[in-house]
Amino acid sequence: MILKDYFAELAWRHKDLGHTKSNEHFCDIGDESQVHADVILQYPCVLYGEDDGEEFIGYTGSLRRPYSIAMLFLDHVIDTSNFDVLQDVYDHMNTIAEDFIRKMWEDHSSIINDTSIRISKVENKDAALYGVMMTFTAEMPFCMKIENSPFLDGTVWDKTFD
C-alpha cells in the first residue's frame, strides 16, 4: 500500500471533499508532477506530504519503517475579516481531519502511532487559506523476505560465524 494513494482515496470518498480527476481536492506536495501541473486545486482541499527517512524500527521478528506524515486541510475564505466565518472554516477543517483519523484507525490501526497525532490551526492570510494541519507517524511493515535474490549466487551461509 502506498500511503499517498490511501489518503487520496479518503479525499475522494469524503463527502465534503469530493476529489476526482476533474475536480482536484487532493495534492501530494512531494510529487513534482502534481505541484507543477496545470491543475487548479478546488477548496476545501487536502495537501499531503511525507518524510520517508531511512530509519527502521525493530520488533521481535519484524522491522517497520516509520513515515512522518503532514496533511493540511484548507479552505479559501472570501471575507477574512469575519471572525465567525473563520471559526466555521477552522471547525469544518478540523472535523474533516478528525474524520480522516477515525477512518485511518478503522482501516489501519496497526500502522498508526496514536501518540503522535497532532492537529493545529494554520493560515495563509495572503492567499486567504485557513484550516488545520494534522501530523502523525505511520509505521509500515518492512518485508524481510527476498523474493528474487539480487545476489549472484544462491549460497546460504551457515548462521554461525566462526
Side-chain angles (χ1 to χ4, degrees), residues 72-95:
L72 294 165
F73 298 82
L74 300 171
D75 203 351
H76 186 262
V77 177
I78 295 171
D79 183 5
T80 60
S81 65
N82 186 331
F83 177 77
D84 291 334
V85 170
L86 292 178
Q87 193 57 49
D88 287 346
V89 167
Y90 283 129
D91 291 344
H92 186 220
M93 295 301 97
N94 192 71
T95 298

Side-chain angles (χ1 to χ4, degrees), residues 34-48:
Q34 285 189 7
V35 173
H36 296 296
D38 290 335
V39 174
I40 297 174
L41 201 58
Q42 304 295 311
Y43 296 102
C45 70
V46 178
L47 302 179
Y48 171 86

Side-chain angles (χ1 to χ4, degrees), residues 22-157:
S22 62
N23 195 16
E24 301 269 347
H25 289 264
F26 179 89
C27 179
D28 175 5
I29 59 175
D31 184 344
E32 291 290 325
S33 67
Q34 285 189 7
V35 173
H36 296 296
D38 290 335
V39 174
I40 297 174
L41 201 58
Q42 304 295 311
Y43 296 102
C45 70
V46 178
L47 302 179
Y48 171 86
E50 73 180 48
D51 171 26
D52 59 343
E54 294 299 319
E55 173 186 14
F56 289 89
I57 299 172
Y59 296 99
T60 305
S62 67
L63 279 177
R64 295 175 76 76
R65 186 176 197 169
Y67 292 84
S68 297
I69 309 292
M71 297 174 71
L72 294 165
F73 298 82
L74 300 171
D75 203 351
H76 186 262
V77 177
I78 295 171
D79 183 5
T80 60
S81 65
N82 186 331
F83 177 77
D84 291 334
V85 170
L86 292 178
Q87 193 57 49
D88 287 346
V89 167
Y90 283 129
D91 291 344
H92 186 220
M93 295 301 97
N94 192 71
T95 298
I96 294 173
E98 289 175 349
D99 291 343
F100 271 55
I101 292 170
R102 283 187 280 277
K103 188 62 176 155
M104 287 185 311
W105 194 257
E106 180 181 295
D107 293 345
H108 302 289
S109 64
S110 65
I111 69 167
I112 304 300
N113 182 338
D114 59 341
T115 62
S116 71
I117 299 172
R118 303 275 183 273
I119 295 178
S120 53
K121 289 182 179 179
V122 293
E123 62 185 39
N124 180 333
K125 290 180 182 178
D126 293 338
L129 296 175
Y130 295 82
V132 298
M133 178 172 63
M134 178 175 65
T135 59
F136 61 95
T137 301
E139 294 178 1
M140 299 296 291
F142 180 76
C143 181
M144 298 295 287
K145 184 178 179 184
I146 297 177
E147 293 291 329
N148 296 317
S149 181
F151 300 100
L152 296 177
D153 65 9
T155 305
V156 178
W157 295 95

